[in-house]
Amino acid sequence: MRFPDPERSRALFIGAGRFDSGEFLEIPSAAASVAALAAALTTPGVGGFASNRSVVLIDPTVRAAGAAIQRQSREAEDVLLVHLVGHGLVETDGELYLAMSETSPDELRFTALRWDDVRRALSSSRARIRIAILDACFAGRALDMMAGPNDQLTDLAEIEGSVVLTAASGTGMALAPPGQEYTAFTGELIAILRDGVPGGPSLLTIDVLYRQLHDRLSSKGQPRPQIRTINSASQVALARNVALEVSTPAETAPPEVPDTPVPQYAYDDYETEIPWVSDTPGAQDHLNRGPLALFLATRLAEFAEQEPDRAFLVHLDGAWGAGKSTLLDYLRAELEGMTDRQKRKIFQVVHFDAWRHSRLSPPWWSLLTTTRATVTANLPRFRRSWFWCRETAMRARRSGSPYAIAVAGLALVAGLITWRLWPTDSRFASWADTGRVATALFAGIGFIWTGSLVLGRFLLWNSARGARLYEQAGVNPMYEVAQHFAWLLRNCGHRIVVFVDDLDRCPEAYVVELLESIQTLIRPTATDKPDGRAALFVVAADGSWLRQSYQKTYDTFGPCVSEPGATIGYLFLDKIFQLTVPLPSMNDETRERYLGYLLHGRSAPSDELIAEVRAANEEISACSGDEEAILQTVRKLSPAARMLVARRAVEALATHEARERTAEALATFAPLLGSNPRAMKRFVNSYGLLRTLRTIEGNTVDFDTLALWTIIRVRWPSLADQLERKPDAINGIHEPRWAAGLIPEELRKVAASTQLLRVVQNPRGGPLSPEDVRMCCGLAPPRGDTPLAGR
């Protein structure tokens, strides 16, 4: 998922609604539709395109439209968007044509815009992503014509691709309702862009927009849109989700539609000043976090399929400002884009901002409420009401006798009120009697309605205060809460993935209480009877903050359970999370490249770089999951090419065949792992993760060396953190006489252990040097051509 580069992208909006021949029904809403969509997609800070790189044409001739398409296609280097609104026509040979101002139905081949010519112009463009949006009758015919046999689309990973999004099928009609400002399809697209998608991702990709259009138009009984994508083009974002923005009313106001759109072709050849850069999560993947999001999404999907009734907790570990929220955005896009064999969405992401909810207690109530709100927001209106009724009934049943007694008392009081106000003469002889009857009925109904709201807040946990009261008054409240959360997960229709963000800004008491709520109340344990879907959790927080929170909360118990090299904070996190994911590091080369982008913007890849990447992708595909061969291929590349092939390399390393080979090779290190079964599982998972991280960084550290470092990371995490901060401290393990000056006193006992020495000085991959530690941690620049250790 990424945002277009505004300066290197081009957009063209063509609206054809008036015709000289008089033989076509005019479309008055065509002009306003393309103008409004152009305004929405070029709004600064919201849309993905620059206004001075976009063109709006109203009722053009065939020649003017063709020339504009050719010009924009030739100048686009990143994303090319062409949007057309008008009449779609089909010639006797089945070809699709688009009517322009001078089109005659008897002379389509000479007076109308042929879709095949548009396709050829798009295909010949240098743009990495080409998007065509057709709001016309029979537009679905363009889907089968987009990729002809001579189409020159390449498979360069995430650099080239195309999308065709149409308002109707190949035989369907696109609608332009009379009296409406916009056409049905484009109008719905404009509404989505202006209003945003509540509970949706921060960036509105083609996939997200298509799903929204499909659901909204289908619910209104209108033609369903169609889509075809090649490569990963559908993951490009057209705009930001304004429903998630926290801004002033002026910033979120709908963009004004220009009265007279004027084509603009002004270019600025040089930057005159250094641009200001916001601190919001990055929409463009300049740090190459996309492959890591792909790795995590793939593993979560595999686990969800293999263990549908078990939870899985992932910890994204990184300091403040390291990009955890950005990685969550990329991971959300990967998860929400996954579908099963029936093309149904697999996952639904619940975003839980822990810092925002940290003042509300208990934490389980905030988590339950957020999950319920996200689930219901994505349901159709009628299903949303039915789901609310069922969920309310379930909560009432779980509240038991207190709620039943309260409801009975409420009904009794309502009946007494109605009886007292009811007229004694039931013949309704006058208007006054009728008024008293109406008053009695409204008073009774109003009392029941108001009382139900009050009861719901206190007995159905509709408020934080009611949740605390329920904790104190229930016979076994936490069991009932866990059961209700399980019911919610079973009935939501998707596998829920909860993103917990900003937990490292919360007080230590809230950190511990929230994680323990997830661990003991929400997540089913091995003793629970499998009864449906379990939630997956991704917690983004600084690991040192979490460990310190547990350290302070359970300080008196620390000496009882701590182990050498693993304090009580490490042990708790080891128990809670099945996988800890450190963010990819920024070595000197990555830091210099990212700073260059911030100062000067991104430049187009050279032809030599594209050729190098294409050849490397083919070579990686031919490696058949052989990790050693994949690393050898990556090692030969230039640093810039390593970044571009990272996704393909990660995909190759994540195949079932590659993981089986790696697991067999890792089995030879079993004697160094000790006797803890959990440590053995974490060793295999952690090695795969570290290999992915280092590959993303372009770092091809030796297999054996990385395996030894993974053992240290799993068995002695405190020591591993110290070595990561000071790699030279590894010399204090090799030579105990130097330990006093290199290793803190609390870690010297474990540093002197014979088990650690066996790992550090192992003949396979060792002895580990400070340079090896830097390589394994991603702190050193990628090596040159160094032979890999044999396996």
Side-chain angles (χ1 to χ4, degrees):
M1 177 182 65
R2 67 181 184 86
F3 223 45
D5 185 340
E7 295 303 311
R8 297 174 52 245
S9 299
R10 298 292 184 271
L12 175 62
F13 306 86
I14 300 177
R18 300 185 183 279
F19 308 94
D20 299 336
S21 66
E23 299 187 49
F24 294 102
L25 183 66
E26 293 193 346
I27 310 175
S29 56
S33 296
V34 294
L37 183 61
L41 292 179
T42 58
T43 301
V46 177
F49 297 87
S51 59
N52 64 337
R53 302 292 189 263
S54 302
V55 177
V56 178
L57 296 181
I58 304 299
D59 301 325
T61 63
V62 173
R63 180 172 182 177
I69 293 172
Q70 191 69 40
R71 186 186 305 112
Q72 295 293 81
S73 299
R74 184 172 58 250
E75 295 173 352
E77 297 177 350
D78 186 26
V79 177
L80 171 63
L81 170 67
V82 176
H83 171 241
L84 300 103
V85 177
H87 283 301
L89 309 169
V90 180
E91 181 58 282
T92 54
D93 58 359
E95 274 203 271
L96 175 66
Y97 287 79
L98 302 167
M100 296 292 117
S101 60
E102 82 272 37
T103 299
S104 170
D106 298 327
E107 300 174 339
L108 288 184
R109 288 189 174 91
F110 305 97
T111 61
L113 184 64
R114 190 170 65 157
W115 167 251
D116 188 64
D117 293 334
V118 178
R119 181 191 67 81
R120 291 176 182 274
L122 297 178
S123 299
S124 63
S125 173
R126 294 180 301 167
R128 298 178 175 184
I129 303 295
R130 287 149 289 182
I131 304 169
I133 302 178
L134 304 184
D135 187 356
C137 299
F138 316 116
R141 292 177 177 267
L143 301 177
D144 297 328
M145 302 171 65
M146 184 59 191
N150 297 322
D151 197 345
Q152 298 300 313
L153 297 176
T154 71
D155 62 347
L156 192 55
E158 285 205 311
I159 292 184
E160 297 180 1
S162 62
V163 177
V164 179
L165 178 61
T166 67
S169 65
T171 58
M173 305 293 289
L175 301 182
Q180 297 295 320
E181 185 178 8
Y182 309 126
T183 63
F185 174 84
T186 301
E188 203 66 53
L189 179 57
I190 294 168
I192 296 171
L193 294 171
R194 286 182 173 178
D195 301 334
V197 180
S202 61
L203 297 180
L204 299 179
T205 63
I206 296 293
D207 270 344
V208 173
L209 292 172
Y210 168 71
R211 289 197 299 270
Q212 290 291 320
L213 285 167
H214 185 277
D215 294 344
R216 296 188 184 193
L217 292 171
S218 298
S219 65
K220 296 178 179 180
Q222 296 176 351
R224 298 179 179 180
Q226 309 289 314
I227 191 171
R228 174 168 178 172
T229 64
I230 297 177
N231 290 342
S232 58
S234 61
Q235 290 303 307
V236 70
L238 297 187
R240 301 186 187 278
N241 188 357
V242 297
L244 303 183
E245 296 290 336
V246 180
S247 55
T248 63
E251 293 172 328
T252 58
E256 296 183 0
V257 179
D259 294 331
T260 308
V262 179
Q264 300 184 43
Y265 292 101
Y267 291 85
D268 295 324
D269 294 330
Y270 301 99
E271 292 281 357
T272 58
E273 61 180 16
I274 298 176
W276 286 14
V277 182
S278 70
D279 194 34
T280 57
Q284 301 183 43
D285 191 14
H286 301 295
L287 294 178
N288 213 27
R289 301 291 167 82
L292 179 56
L294 172 66
F295 170 82
L296 293 175
T298 303
R299 300 305 296 271
L300 287 174
E302 290 178 356
F303 181 85
E305 182 178 2
Q306 298 168 1
E307 301 284 349
D309 56 345
R310 289 288 175 257
F312 194 86
L313 277 75
V314 178
H315 174 209
L316 295 184
D317 190 0
W320 286 10
K324 299 186 294 296
S325 297
T326 301
L327 180 57
L328 286 179
D329 285 342
Y330 298 148
L331 180 57
R332 175 196 286 267
E334 293 285 354
L335 291 173
E336 292 186 337
M338 289 184 170
T339 56
D340 58 16
R341 294 183 179 90
Q342 288 75 38
K343 302 300 182 182
R344 294 175 301 188
K345 182 178 173 182
I346 298 175
F347 295 105
Q348 184 165 332
V349 176
V350 176
H351 189 274
F352 182 78
D353 190 326
W355 190 28
R356 183 175 299 175
H357 293 90
S358 59
R359 294 184 180 275
L360 297 176
S361 180
W364 64 261
W365 177 81
S366 299
L367 186 59
L368 183 68
T369 303
T370 304
T371 303
R372 180 199 304 141
T374 303
V375 168
T376 55
N378 288 274
L379 294 175
R381 188 178 300 275
F382 71 95
R383 288 189 58 194
R384 191 181 311 168
S385 301
W386 173 239
F387 187 90
W388 179 86
C389 293
R390 293 175 59 205
E391 202 255 353
T392 302
M394 289 298 299
R395 279 186 286 156
R397 185 177 69 83
R398 298 191 187 283
S399 295
S401 56
Y403 184 75
I405 294 172
V407 170
L410 191 66
L412 178 61
V413 174
L416 290 174
I417 293 174
T418 305
W419 176 72
R420 290 291 298 172
L421 295 176
W422 198 269
T424 56
D425 187 357
S426 59
R427 294 176 298 175
F428 308 115
S430 65
W431 285 105
D433 291 336
T434 303
R436 284 195 292 271
V437 170
T439 301
L441 291 176
F442 280 118
I445 295 173
F447 182 82
I448 291 177
W449 177 260
T450 305
S452 299
L453 294 178
V454 174
L455 288 179
R457 290 183 63 83
F458 289 96
L459 297 182
L460 298 186
W461 349 314
N462 280 344
S463 66
R465 181 178 299 177
R468 289 194 296 270
L469 179 64
Y470 179 74
E471 281 185 330
Q472 299 166 4
V475 177
N476 191 0
M478 296 301 96
Y479 173 79
E480 296 295 342
V481 170
Q483 292 299 309
H484 188 75
F485 195 86
W487 178 91
L488 186 65
L489 297 178
R490 287 196 305 270
N491 290 273
C492 68
H494 303 93
R495 191 73 186 267
I496 293 294
V497 184
V498 182
F499 286 179
V500 180
D501 199 7
D502 284 340
L503 187 57
D504 48 7
R505 299 186 182 187
C506 302
E508 67 271 8
Y510 185 85
V511 170
V512 173
E513 191 175 1
L514 176 61
L515 291 179
E516 289 184 349
S517 295
I518 294 173
Q519 177 75 1
T520 61
L521 300 179
I522 309 303
R523 192 180 80 166
T525 64
T527 59
D528 290 335
K529 181 181 178 180
D531 56 359
R533 303 181 183 92
L536 308 175
F537 291 86
V538 181
V539 180
D542 188 346
S544 60
W545 189 284
L546 303 187
R547 289 190 293 270
Q548 186 63 21
S549 296
Y550 276 99
Q551 199 77 34
K552 293 184 65 175
T553 303
Y554 295 99
D555 183 54
T556 56
F557 300 99
C560 303
V561 296
S562 294
E563 300 174 359
T567 62
I568 190 172
Y570 284 102
L571 295 177
F572 264 107
L573 297 192
D574 182 49
K575 176 68 175 178
I576 293 173
F577 297 106
Q578 283 75 56
L579 186 65
T580 296
V581 182
L583 265 65
S585 61
M586 289 185 65
N587 52 38
D588 292 341
E589 178 184 319
T590 305
R591 192 177 297 110
E592 181 179 351
R593 181 171 53 251
Y594 185 56
L595 182 60
Y597 160 74
L598 295 178
L599 295 177
H600 308 296
R602 186 174 55 183
S603 58
S606 63
D607 293 340
E608 293 78 9
L609 177 59
I610 292 177
E612 183 182 12
V613 172
R614 182 180 291 113
N617 283 338
E618 294 175 355
E619 193 171 343
I620 290 172
S621 299
C623 290
S624 301
D626 188 337
E627 180 176 325
E628 183 176 340
I630 293 172
L631 296 180
Q632 288 283 20
T633 300
V634 175
R635 179 167 292 170
K636 295 183 298 184
L637 301 175
S638 64
R642 292 186 184 188
M643 295 285 289
L644 293 176
V645 303
R647 188 180 182 95
R648 182 64 61 87
V650 168
E651 290 175 344
L653 292 170
T655 62
H656 181 71
E657 182 182 7
R659 286 189 309 208
E660 279 192 342
R661 291 186 180 184
T662 301
E664 291 176 2
L666 292 174
T668 60
F669 291 92
L672 302 177
L673 284 169
S675 57
N676 189 331
R678 182 182 293 123
M680 298 179 185
K681 295 178 182 178
R682 292 179 68 86
F683 171 59
V684 176
N685 289 340
S686 298
Y687 176 84
L689 174 64
L690 290 177
R691 173 56 71 196
T692 298
L693 292 174
R694 302 293 82 89
T695 303
I696 291 172
E697 299 161 357
N699 185 335
T700 56
V701 58
D702 300 342
F703 174 86
D704 294 336
T705 302
L706 186 60
L708 293 181
W709 172 254
T710 305
I711 294 173
I712 296 175
R713 168 56 63 189
V714 170
R715 293 194 64 183
W716 303 285
S718 296
L719 180 64
D721 285 345
Q722 175 64 21
L723 293 176
E724 188 168 343
R725 287 191 294 267
K726 297 182 178 180
D728 290 336
I730 194 76
N731 293 325
I733 300 175
H734 291 298
E735 180 51 64
R737 291 178 299 176
W738 300 345
L742 295 172
I743 300 175
E745 184 176 356
E746 63 271 15
L747 294 175
R748 290 175 194 168
K749 182 177 180 180
V750 64
S753 68
T754 57
Q755 293 180 344
L756 176 63
L757 199 62
R758 286 179 58 199
V759 175
V760 173
Q761 297 184 351
N762 195 275
R764 288 192 56 186
L768 295 180
S769 65
E771 179 65 17
D772 291 329
V773 173
R774 292 186 180 93
M775 287 286 293
C776 292
C777 298
L779 302 176
R783 294 179 185 171
D785 296 332
T786 305
L788 289 166
R791 286 198 263 164

